[in-house]
Amino acid sequence: MAQRVTAADGGSKKTSRVRVAVRLRPYIGKQDEKGEGPCVRGLDSQNLEIINWRNATETVKYHFDVFHGEQTSQQEVFLSSVKPILPHILRGQNASVFAYGPTGAGKTHTMLGSSEQPGVIPRAVREVFNLVKSKDDGWDYSTGMSYLEIYNEKVLDLLSPTSQDLPIREDKDKNIFIPGLTHTAISSFSEFDRHFVPATLNRTTASTKLNQRSSRSHAILLIKVVRTEHSLPHRQQTGKLYLVDLAGSEDNRRTGNRGIRLKESGAINLSLFTLSKVVDSLNSGTGGRVPYRDSKLTRLLQDSLGGSAHSVMITNIAPEYIYYFDTFSALNFAAKSKLIVNKPFTRETVPVLQVKRARVTDEAGVSGAEPQKKKPKDEEKPEQSAPSPPAHLQSLSEPSVLDRLIALEQLIMSCQNKDGLSMLKDVARSRMEIQELKEKQREFESKAMLFSQMAEENSRTNQDSFLNSSMAPLQRKDSRAAKTTKQQAVVQPLQVAQLQPLQQLAVVRKPVCVKKKVLDHVEPPDGKENRIENGWESQLDESLLEESRQKILQVLNTGSLKELKGLQQIGDKKAKLILGWREIHGHFSKVEDLVQVEGMTQKRFSSFMKANILSVVGK
C-alpha cells in the first residue's frame, strides 16, 4: 500500500543541542604508581577541573550540562541525564544515549551495570514500557528491539550470532538501516531481559592490563516504538532509541596489546578518531562534507550527531594520573560535542490509499443515489426543436455536483484534529445548510426557466406571419437570436466549477451570502455587466469581513515563516520580506500596512485580501 511520509513538527524544525554529562569513576589508589592522588576534581554539579600533570598549581576548568561525581549512583545518572529524553520516542522522534571515554573508565558499568545496580540500558527500557502502559490517548503501541556490535569494522547481529558481516544502507528518506538485522517484538521488560542477557554474552570482550573484561567492540541496542492511530486516517509514528556502549580508546603501550588484541585496538582507535573528525567537521560551520562514511560507527551514529535525534553523551573519565592524557582528550572531545546541534522531527506515515477510499465512500454515502451511467450518443444529443440550456445551468442541474461538495467538506473535516462530537455537529449543520441551498437553487432554476419561456413567446409574437413560408433562412437566424436572448435572460447560479476549493466551502457554509451572490449573478435584459467582481466585499456580512481581516492581521504579526507561506499568494520570498519588515518596524497596525512591504503594490494587495478573506470565510 502506497504511503506518504511527512515531517509533523508543527512548524519549522526545532533544534536540540547534544547534551553532555561527565561521570568520574571512583579513585582506585593501587592503579596510581606515583601515589599523587586524583588529577580531576569536581567543583559543582556542572563544573570540574583537571590538574596540570607538570605543575599542580595550574588547572584547566570545564563546564558541562551535568557533572556526576564519584559518589553519584546509577539512579541519579539515569534520572538527570537519560529519563528526560525518553518521552520523545512515543511522539515519533528519535533519541540516542552513548557512553564515551578511555578503556577502564566505567562505560560498560554506566550502560549495563549489575543486577544490584542496573545501568542506563535496563532502566531506560523499563521506563519506555512504563510510558507505553500509562498512555491512553487513542493510539496503539508496539515495541521491538535489535542488538548489534561493530567488531573490527564488521557489523554483527548479537541476537543471531551465526550471521555474517551486515551492510549499512540509507533509504530514500535518508534513514540509516541494516538489511538482515534481527528485529524482535517485545511486550514487557521481562521479555526484553530474556533476549538481551544472552545477546550480551555474545559480545566480544577480552582481558588487558588495565581491565579484566575489556569491551573489544562497540555495542548498539535499538528500541523501536511504533504507534498507530485508532481513528481515520490511521497515522503511524515511529520513534527509535539508540543505546550505545562504545569501546574505549587505548594506549597499547599501557594495555600490553599483542597480536589480535593489537588489531582490535587499532580498529577501535580508528573509529573513535573518525568520530572526532565528524565532531570537528560539524563544529567548523563550513558546510563541507562530514566524514560519516569513513567508519561504520559514525555511519550508525549519523542520526545522533548532527542528525534528527535527541542525543545525550555520557563521558566517563578516571581520576588517576595514569589516565591523565586519556582523561584530558576525553574532556576536550566532550567539550566539542556539546556544541553540536541536532534537528529532531516526528516521523509520521499516512496510508494514502485509505484516504482515497474514504473519499469515494463519502461521495456514495452522502449522495444517496447511484452513479450516473453514461448515456448513449443518441440520447445525449438534444432535440432540434428544444433549445439546450446554458452549460453552467446543465452542470448545476446534475445532482452529483453538490454531493461532491459535501464529500469534499467531510474529507477536509476528517483530516482535522477536532473533537468527535463537535465534528458531528458541524457535519449536521452543514448538511442542513446544503439542503436549504438545494431548495433555493431549484426555486431559482424554475424562475429562470419561466423567464426564458416568456422571452421566447415574446420573440415569436413579434415575428411576421409570412416568415413561416417564404423566409426560412431568416427564421433560423431569428431562432438563434431568440436562443441567445434566452441564454442572456436565465439566472446564472453558483458556477461551482470555477470556484477554488475553499470558496466552494464558503458557498456551502454561508447560505445567506450565497443568496446575495446568486441574485447579483442575474444578468439584466439590457446586457449590463456583472458587478460581482468589483463589489465582492459588499456581498459579505460586515462582522464576518472584519473577523476575517483580524485573522489575517494576526498571522501577519505573529505567524512563523511556514504560517505566512500558508496565506494565499504569499510565497517563500514574500514571507521572508514580511518577517524582515516586522523585525524592523514591529507589528502591522492594520492589514493595509502590507503595501509598505517591498513588491506589494496596491493591486496585488487587493488581490491578496480577496483571496485570503474568501479562504478564511470558507473555513
Side-chain angles (χ1 to χ4, degrees):
M1 182 171 60
Q3 292 184 333
R4 173 171 56 88
V5 178
T6 59
D9 48 28
S12 58
K13 288 185 180 180
K14 298 180 180 179
T15 59
S16 174
R17 182 177 55 81
V18 175
R19 290 179 53 83
V20 177
V22 174
R23 187 179 192 186
L24 179 63
R25 175 174 60 74
Y27 180 80
I28 305 176
K30 64 180 182 179
Q31 291 190 5
D32 193 354
E33 299 174 357
K34 297 182 180 181
E36 297 177 352
C39 63
V40 178
R41 288 196 298 258
L43 301 178
D44 54 37
S45 62
Q46 291 184 308
N47 297 281
L48 70 153
E49 63 181 3
I50 182 170
I51 302 170
N52 190 332
W53 69 284
R54 290 183 175 179
N55 185 354
T57 61
E58 295 180 358
T59 61
V60 180
K61 292 181 173 60
Y62 294 90
H63 175 81
F64 297 102
D65 294 290
V66 182
F67 171 67
H68 301 295
E70 299 178 8
Q71 304 303 320
T72 305
S73 65
Q74 299 276 62
Q75 175 77 354
E76 291 172 339
V77 172
F78 171 75
L79 292 178
S80 62
S81 298
V82 180
K83 186 177 179 179
I85 69 170
L86 297 182
H88 296 292
I89 305 164
L90 274 65
R91 295 196 290 268
Q93 299 183 3
N94 292 346
S96 175
V97 181
F98 57 101
Y100 177 86
T103 184
K107 297 182 301 300
T108 302
H109 174 71
T110 297
M111 296 303 292
L112 294 180
S114 61
S115 57
E116 297 79 14
Q117 298 179 355
V120 167
I121 289 178
R123 292 177 188 272
V125 176
R126 190 183 296 274
E127 178 64 19
V128 168
F129 280 111
N130 290 338
L131 290 173
V132 170
K133 290 179 181 178
S134 65
K135 290 290 184 180
D136 186 15
D137 52 0
W139 296 74
D140 286 328
Y141 292 84
S142 60
T143 309
M145 64 174 289
S146 300
Y147 197 20
L148 63 93
E149 71 171 352
I150 303 176
Y151 175 71
N152 283 343
E153 282 299 293
K154 293 181 179 179
V155 178
L156 305 177
D157 190 348
L158 293 176
L159 293 176
S160 179
T162 58
S163 63
Q164 302 298 318
D165 184 20
L166 298 176
I168 301 176
R169 298 285 184 261
E170 185 177 77
D171 63 15
K172 59 183 180 62
D173 298 313
K174 306 299 182 181
N175 296 317
I176 303 298
F177 70 100
I178 301 176
L181 181 65
T182 302
H183 182 77
T184 303
I186 52 178
S187 58
S188 63
F189 179 80
S190 60
E191 191 173 350
F192 160 79
D193 204 42
R194 188 166 62 250
H195 293 287
F196 180 72
V197 172
T200 302
L201 299 177
N202 295 329
R203 186 179 178 187
T204 307
T205 60
S207 175
T208 67
K209 287 184 178 181
L210 296 179
N211 197 348
Q212 286 292 337
R213 185 176 172 82
S214 175
S215 301
R216 314 309 296 165
S217 65
H218 309 295
I220 301 176
L221 172 67
L222 169 62
I223 302 295
K224 181 189 291 186
V225 178
V226 179
R227 70 172 189 166
T228 306
E229 192 176 22
H230 290 168
S231 58
L232 289 174
H234 299 306
R235 295 174 295 162
Q236 276 193 349
Q237 295 179 351
T238 302
K240 299 178 182 178
L241 173 63
Y242 297 89
L243 298 166
V244 186
D245 180 15
L246 298 177
S249 58
E250 296 182 339
D251 186 344
N252 293 311
R253 294 169 298 181
R254 294 189 290 111
T255 56
N257 291 331
R258 296 289 186 273
I260 190 170
R261 300 284 88 80
L262 185 64
K263 181 181 178 181
E264 294 168 352
S265 176
I268 292 170
N269 289 340
L270 180 60
S271 62
L272 294 175
F273 175 69
T274 305
L275 180 62
S276 179
K277 289 198 303 181
V278 167
V279 172
D280 289 336
S281 178
L282 290 171
N283 289 334
S284 65
T286 59
R289 173 183 175 270
V290 180
Y292 290 116
R293 295 177 180 268
D294 292 2
S295 167
K296 291 189 176 181
L297 171 64
T298 53
R299 187 79 166 126
L300 289 175
L301 291 180
Q302 181 171 342
D303 192 45
S304 304
L305 297 173
S308 59
H310 298 269
S311 298
V312 174
M313 183 177 76
I314 304 176
T315 304
N316 293 262
I317 58 176
E320 295 83 12
Y321 269 95
I322 193 174
Y323 288 98
Y324 177 84
F325 293 105
D326 293 327
T327 298
F328 187 70
S329 299
L331 290 175
N332 288 337
F333 176 79
K336 293 186 295 183
S337 298
K338 73 175 185 177
L339 302 177
I340 298 175
V341 176
N342 294 344
K343 296 181 179 179
F345 62 93
T346 298
R347 288 165 172 79
E348 182 175 290
T349 307
V350 180
V352 177
L353 289 181
Q354 191 169 3
V355 174
K356 291 183 178 179
R357 288 171 185 165
R359 178 178 180 180
V360 174
T361 304
D362 287 341
E363 290 181 6
V366 173
S367 63
E370 296 182 358
Q372 294 183 348
K373 298 182 180 180
K374 187 175 182 181
K375 296 182 179 181
K377 291 185 177 180
D378 56 345
E379 294 184 18
E380 292 179 352
K381 186 175 180 180
E383 297 181 3
Q384 296 293 333
S385 59
S388 60
H392 59 267
L393 191 58
Q394 285 181 344
S395 64
L396 276 179
S397 62
E398 297 177 3
S400 62
V401 175
L402 286 178
D403 295 334
R404 285 198 297 270
L405 278 179
I406 300 173
L408 176 61
E409 181 187 29
Q410 290 188 341
L411 180 61
I412 293 177
M413 291 176 62
S414 66
C415 296
Q416 297 175 352
N417 295 324
K418 288 187 175 182
D419 180 72
L421 183 59
S422 63
M423 185 186 300
L424 292 176
K425 289 181 179 179
D426 291 344
V427 172
R429 184 169 57 254
S430 299
R431 287 181 177 176
M432 292 179 61
E433 294 175 353
I434 292 170
Q435 188 62 32
E436 294 176 1
L437 181 62
K438 281 185 176 182
E439 295 176 359
K440 293 177 181 179
Q441 178 186 345
R442 285 193 290 268
E443 180 182 351
F444 287 133
E445 287 182 356
S446 60
K447 291 181 179 180
M449 295 301 297
L450 180 61
F451 188 76
S452 175
Q453 292 175 2
M454 292 175 60
E456 185 177 359
E457 290 177 0
N458 292 335
S459 176
R460 289 177 180 176
T461 303
N462 293 334
Q463 292 179 356
D464 295 332
S465 58
F466 67 88
L467 292 178
N468 294 329
S469 57
S470 61
M471 299 187 68
L474 184 57
Q475 184 181 12
R476 288 195 297 269
K477 182 176 180 181
D478 290 340
S479 177
R480 287 195 298 269
K483 183 179 178 180
T484 302
T485 304
K486 174 186 174 182
Q487 291 180 351
Q488 292 179 348
V490 298
V491 176
Q492 291 188 359
L494 304 181
Q495 299 189 9
V496 177
Q498 299 178 7
L499 297 177
Q500 298 299 322
L502 286 179
Q503 292 173 310
Q504 294 179 16
L505 293 181
V507 169
V508 172
R509 292 191 173 188
K510 304 296 178 182
V512 177
C513 300
V514 169
K515 181 176 180 180
K516 296 182 67 176
K517 279 192 175 182
V518 173
L519 292 176
D520 287 342
H521 271 72
V522 179
E523 290 186 0
D526 57 0
K528 291 183 180 178
E529 294 182 355
N530 197 323
R531 298 188 298 271
I532 189 66
E533 289 297 326
N534 296 330
W536 64 272
E537 290 182 328
S538 63
Q539 314 304 317
L540 300 177
D541 184 70
E542 292 184 1
S543 60
L544 186 63
L545 180 62
E546 182 61 26
E547 181 182 353
S548 303
R549 293 170 65 90
Q550 290 300 321
K551 288 183 179 180
I552 296 171
L553 182 60
Q554 182 180 2
V555 174
L556 292 176
N557 285 332
T558 62
S560 61
L561 180 64
K562 184 174 182 180
E563 291 171 338
L564 287 172
K565 289 164 63 177
L567 292 173
Q568 300 289 334
Q569 301 184 8
I570 296 295
D572 184 72
K573 181 179 179 181
K574 190 69 67 179
K576 290 179 179 178
L577 288 174
I578 293 174
L579 286 177
W581 191 94
R582 204 167 68 192
E583 285 290 332
I584 298 174
H585 302 283
H587 286 178
F588 295 89
S589 60
K590 54 184 183 297
V591 290
E592 285 76 9
D593 291 343
L594 190 60
V595 297
Q596 301 178 24
V597 177
E598 180 182 353
M600 180 61 74
T601 62
Q602 187 64 42
K603 184 176 180 181
R604 289 186 178 180
F605 172 76
S606 301
S607 177
F608 162 83
M609 290 300 297
K610 178 179 179 181
N612 283 279
I613 288 178
L614 292 178
S615 176
V616 171
V617 168
K619 293 182 180 179

